[in-house]
Amino acid sequence: MAKASRFIAMCAISAAIAVPSFAWAQTYTTVHYPGAVLTELVGGPNPQGTSVGGYTLTTGGALHGFTLRGGEFTSFDPPGSTFTTANFINPRGDIVGAYVDIAGVSHGFILRDGTYTTVDYPGATGTALSSINPSGELSGATCSDAACGATGNPNVTHSFLLSKQGVFSATFDPPGATSSTSSVVIPSGAVIGAYTHLAGTTCSTQCQGYLLYHGSYATISYPGAAFTFAGGANAPGDVVGVYTDAAGVSHGFLFNGAYTSFDYPGASFTEATGINPSGVIVGLWINSAGVVNGFIRTP
């Protein structure tokens, strides 16, 4: 509880603090699913060393989920899926995400011990799950588009939580937001996500990150950036994501009391999507040929 309380204070006071990307020595590892034209890492590694992500074998083709452990890839898709997004893996090995069915409708899913459970927010046109913490609490978003934007349609989202007892919260957004998505709920119950004030759109062209804790919101915004997406956080409250600078270039960032910008070496685009309690960061980067790869950044 104390760490999350201090984190709220840090969000409020550190808006002008930024650390250059060269401030810390890190080790980067590229992750590329065999034969894929696009690979992204989104969650992990968990204590067992398993990460999750997505890949596609053809340009513009369907996305499939995968796990990565010890250099070995395992592909998966929920039954009936035409498009799968794997978003998070918790210490127990539970995986959550979203899939689009043959009718073009997005559903949240939980993959636990080899068994899939479908999760739909009551009355929502589409549903996606974004994280599951060690106690079994989940975060997600409702969608105005049935496929939750997977087919390129405009999509407005609203954040929600699902308790370990299976009770949905009311949808919520930061004050004044027209659309938001919850990226992760950490063990303290704090929720990290992103939102926009623009009408009729999800957080795609202009957004800021948010922290919600005990009913109070704080903004997560990389200094000087018009676009900040808070995409992941760990139990201590370290936050990672992507921001766009004044020149229109996107970089990964880490916020742990100060903002640190970083880029995969030689990348034209870097996005951090997850961080584990040991400070290992996962994400995706684009090379000079326009190929999307995953990465693991080790402290």
Side-chain angles (χ1 to χ4, degrees):
M1 293 295 186
K3 286 183 179 178
S5 297
R6 288 199 297 271
F7 181 38
I8 289 176
M10 288 190 293
C11 284
I13 66 175
S14 63
I17 302 173
V19 180
S21 58
F22 54 79
W24 309 100
Q26 308 293 333
T27 299
Y28 289 89
T29 303
T30 289
V31 174
H32 191 85
Y33 192 94
V37 299
L38 177 151
T39 306
E40 58 184 21
L41 273 184
V42 187
N46 70 358
Q48 292 74 41
T50 304
S51 299
V52 295
Y55 73 96
T56 183
L57 297 175
T58 58
T59 301
L63 198 69
H64 307 276
F66 70 80
T67 60
L68 173 62
R69 183 176 181 182
E72 181 177 345
F73 292 93
T74 301
S75 176
F76 68 88
D77 291 285
S81 174
T82 63
F83 191 101
T84 302
T85 305
N87 288 328
F88 197 89
I89 183 168
N90 71 3
R92 186 184 182 280
D94 302 328
I95 298 170
V96 301
Y99 73 95
V100 179
D101 66 19
I102 193 67
V105 178
S106 178
H107 312 270
F109 75 83
I110 305 169
L111 175 56
R112 177 176 292 150
D113 299 328
T115 300
Y116 290 93
T117 301
T118 294
V119 176
D120 290 308
Y121 190 92
T125 304
T127 303
L129 292 178
S130 56
S131 79
I132 179 169
N133 68 21
S135 70
E137 187 177 19
L138 297 106
S139 63
T142 63
C143 305
S144 63
D145 172 55
C148 286
T151 57
N153 292 330
N155 184 36
V156 175
T157 58
H158 301 286
S159 304
F160 72 81
L161 296 178
L162 177 60
S163 74
K164 60 182 179 181
Q165 293 82 15
V167 179
F168 288 94
S169 73
T171 58
F172 58 89
D173 303 291
T178 56
S179 181
S180 75
T181 182
S182 55
S183 299
V184 62
V185 55
I186 62 177
S188 68
V191 183
I192 292 88
Y195 70 97
T196 182
H197 288 130
L198 296 180
T201 181
T202 190
C203 182
S204 57
T205 57
Q206 184 184 62
C207 68
Q208 305 296 331
Y210 76 78
L211 168 74
L212 172 62
Y213 185 63
H214 283 187
S216 296
Y217 287 94
T219 296
I220 302 169
S221 182
Y222 195 91
F227 179 98
T228 303
F229 188 95
N234 59 16
D238 304 324
V239 177
V240 295
V242 59
Y243 76 95
T244 302
D245 65 21
V249 179
S250 296
H251 313 269
F253 75 86
L254 166 67
F255 176 68
N256 57 359
Y259 288 92
T260 301
S261 174
F262 65 88
D263 296 284
Y264 189 95
S268 61
F269 175 100
T270 302
E271 178 177 358
T273 57
I275 180 170
N276 73 9
S278 299
V280 178
I281 298 172
V282 297
L284 57 99
W285 67 285
I286 301 177
N287 65 19
S288 58
V291 177
V292 181
N293 301 278
F295 73 81
I296 300 174
R297 178 182 187 259
T298 306

